[in-house]
Amino acid sequence: MDKKNSVFIGVSIDGYIADRNGGLEWLDMIPNTENSDMGYFEFMSEIDALVMGRTTFETVCSFDVAWPYEKPVFVLSSTMHEIPESHKGKAFLVKGSLQDILRQIHEQGFHRIYIDGGTTIQNFLKADLIDEIVISTIPVMLGGGAPLFSDLPQHMEFELVKTRTYLDQINQAHYKRKRT
Amino acid sequence: MDKKNSVFIGVSIDGYIADRNGGLEWLDMIPNTENSDMGYFEFMSEIDALVMGRTTFETVCSFDVAWPYEKPVFVLSSTMHEIPESHKGKAFLVKGSLQDILRQIHEQGFHRIYIDGGTTIQNFLKADLIDEIVISTIPVMLGGGAPLFSDLPQHMEFELVKTRTYLDQINQAHYKRKRT
């Protein structure tokens, strides 16, 4: 099966994934009366496992909802020693270079990986290891916070595969990395 | 006539309007075989005048083409003393606060203003003086350069008015500022 690393993320017009206080409420500022999943379930149906950083893992753990993932979650951390008892069997600690980590995950039969969390996405992009990225733009400027993007060593071209508008207000663009 | 300040700009996926070397070639990376204006002429038909900073003015002057604007261009600069002889009658120097400058321009009968140039757009956004913004996203990450956005003192909500795809690859989103 073809391997791919994918991103699916909501972002402000000015490119932030969390506001200055780490707040995420703005992600839900558009009333979702039709209960749209904005393509999330379709995206997840083509994913075998997730990779996220410790910060994102702890953020998801702190949400007052049941564990939201049906697929294994690999947590990238150099400081964490163990996955908390509550999440064993669902989340798995991985260490090493991004290439090492991907090899470990691929060897377990997981080939289509959802890369999540600001720093982790940035590190995968820097290493040119992202194959597709689905960006849903919320119509707000936050003016500061955690940026989705950071410096890259080179220009990287993408192909615009699809655009969708959700809830009449959220512009979603689906890009695939163009490799020559 | 209703006053409005509008932005119409091309940007990379990661939010840059020029690359690390000031380069703009990536803006034309998608072959434009159909000679699309990407909505520019329709946008310009609803504009009375332009405001740009000195850097953008000098960049446009350096292009090896005829002066591209049929509408008056107001150049914001604290350091320039005079518009070069070659551009007198087409470009006009303005000084003062953004509010002062807008008042001067409105008094001359120009109400619908195209705000252009990175720093100028950022300063108008900081002062919450932008009413609409049309962003055309080129499917490339530049990884560094001149960013479109900078810090803002507050969250600012917009309404997504329209999206268009140009040349099958350029996702254009048209936002209007939501004021309550």
Side-chain angles (χ1 to χ4, degrees), chain B residues 17 34 50 52 74 78 80 118 122 130 139 169 176 179:
Chain B
I17 57 172
E34 56 193 76
L50 294 89
M52 60 179 66
F74 294 92
S78 52
M80 198 184 247
Q122 290 177 2
I130 296 296
Q169 285 297 301
K176 286 200 174 154
R179 301 184 197 277

Side-chain angles (χ1 to χ4, degrees), chain B residues 9-178:
Chain B
I9 198 151
V11 69
S12 68
I13 298 174
D14 51 349
Y16 295 101
I17 57 172
D19 72 16
R20 276 207 182 85
N21 308 311
L24 300 171
E25 316 77 40
W26 56 277
L27 282 170
D28 300 314
M29 62 177 249
I30 305 300
N32 192 347
T33 48
E34 56 193 76
N35 263 312
S36 170
D37 73 339
M38 299 179 216
Y40 180 77
F41 289 108
E42 188 189 331
F43 173 83
M44 283 304 269
S45 73
E46 298 184 355
I47 288 298
D48 303 322
L50 294 89
V51 168
M52 60 179 66
R54 183 184 51 79
T55 312
T56 304
F57 173 68
E58 289 177 352
T59 302
V60 176
C61 288
S62 76
F63 289 152
D64 194 18
V65 295
W67 183 243
Y69 304 113
E70 295 180 2
K71 318 266 168 113
V73 172
F74 294 92
V75 181
L76 256 172
S77 174
S78 52
T79 56
M80 198 184 247
H81 294 297
E82 220 183 349
I83 292 291
E85 205 58 47
S86 54
H87 289 80
K88 281 192 176 159
K90 299 167 187 159
F92 307 89
L93 199 57
V94 282
K95 286 175 193 288
S97 71
L98 299 189
Q99 282 80 1
D100 284 345
I101 285 162
L102 284 175
R103 196 175 318 114
Q104 295 167 41
I105 297 174
H106 295 155
E107 281 172 3
Q108 296 176 56
F110 307 116
H111 295 114
R112 302 169 305 174
I113 319 290
Y114 178 2
I115 309 297
D116 203 17
T119 310
T120 304
I121 294 170
Q122 290 177 2
N123 287 335
F124 272 80
L125 280 172
K126 268 189 227 286
D128 197 3
L129 289 170
I130 296 296
D131 302 296
E132 64 174 347
I133 181 161
V134 182
I135 303 176
S136 302
T137 304
I138 314 298
V140 65
M141 295 183 192
L142 299 178
L148 173 54
F149 296 105
S150 65
D151 287 359
L152 299 171
Q154 54 174 356
H155 288 203
M156 295 197 298
E157 290 188 24
F158 286 78
E159 184 191 349
L160 179 65
V161 180
K162 197 165 65 171
T163 62
R164 288 281 306 267
T165 302
Y166 288 103
L167 304 175
D168 192 47
Q169 285 297 301
I170 296 172
N171 179 24
Q172 184 181 84
H174 185 151
Y175 296 102
K176 286 200 174 154
R177 176 79 170 103
K178 260 175 92 173

